[in-house]
Amino acid sequence: MATLDSVITFQDLASLIAAVAPGKVLITGEDRFLGYSLMCGARAALIGMGAACTALQAALVHSFRSGQADEFLRLSRLVDDLARHTFRAPMEGYIQRISRFAMRRGSKIERAIHRLYFDPADGFILWATHAARRLGHIAPGSGTIRSLDLARRGVSSR
């Protein structure tokens, strides 16, 4: 769970990097406060939401870098709202929320990727679930499949 401690830790780390290692690049992965991360000193970002709404995050970063304060604030509000609706409980569902958004609003490529993974008839997730069930990794009738569990079984069975 992200808490006030997470924000404070990021602020402290950003200040420390700026003071001790000014030539190093601070990379944020904080979708829930992306604009603020940039204001704190982040110079790059790993943006999970970028899979669904790439142009929005790119415009936000561009507006910050080019000093367009009004546009940056406007876009920050939009990105924060998207993040608030994406990164919420249950957290493990954020990938599907991003995927659904991409399927409805995304580019042709984003819609194709969604279909490749999540299509109910022949997507990768369906295939992986059936394969895991056939191999006995999940019980019949169970819809739960955990990639890490499968990876551990695959490594331990060799």
Side-chain angles (χ1 to χ4, degrees):
M1 171 170 53
T3 63
L4 182 57
D5 291 349
S6 302
V7 176
I8 292 169
T9 300
F10 184 83
Q11 290 170 328
D12 291 346
L13 184 60
S15 294
L16 181 66
I17 289 172
V20 176
K24 298 293 181 186
V25 174
L26 173 60
I27 301 172
T28 183
E30 300 297 338
D31 292 272
R32 287 290 301 248
F33 57 92
L34 179 58
Y36 182 68
S37 296
L38 296 171
M39 289 188 291
C40 284
R43 296 294 171 249
L46 303 171
I47 306 170
M49 298 179 297
C53 206
T54 310
L56 178 61
Q57 285 85 6
L60 173 71
V61 172
H62 175 74
S63 67
F64 178 76
R65 295 282 177 246
S66 61
Q68 301 170 13
D70 289 341
E71 183 67 355
F72 173 74
L73 292 174
R74 184 184 76 78
L75 292 171
S76 287
R77 283 189 287 276
L78 292 173
V79 169
D80 288 348
D81 191 50
L82 176 61
R84 188 171 50 84
H85 287 88
T86 301
F87 297 98
R88 59 176 171 74
M91 279 303 288
E92 61 273 9
Y94 85 90
I95 294 172
Q96 287 181 320
R97 288 188 287 275
I98 287 173
S99 178
R100 277 190 226 114
F101 183 87
M103 188 59 197
R104 291 185 185 117
R105 306 256 190 229
S107 69
K108 193 176 201 178
I109 293 170
E110 290 165 338
R111 291 191 311 270
I113 289 170
H114 176 277
R115 183 168 180 187
L116 175 68
Y117 282 98
F118 295 103
D119 185 270
D122 60 357
F124 174 76
I125 301 301
L126 179 69
W127 173 85
T129 303
H130 288 308
R133 197 167 279 130
R134 280 194 307 272
L135 294 170
H137 294 302
I138 55 176
S142 171
T144 304
I145 182 172
R146 293 183 175 88
S147 300
L148 187 56
D149 292 342
L150 290 176
R152 285 182 181 143
R153 286 184 187 133
V155 169
S156 65
S157 66
R158 293 178 190 205

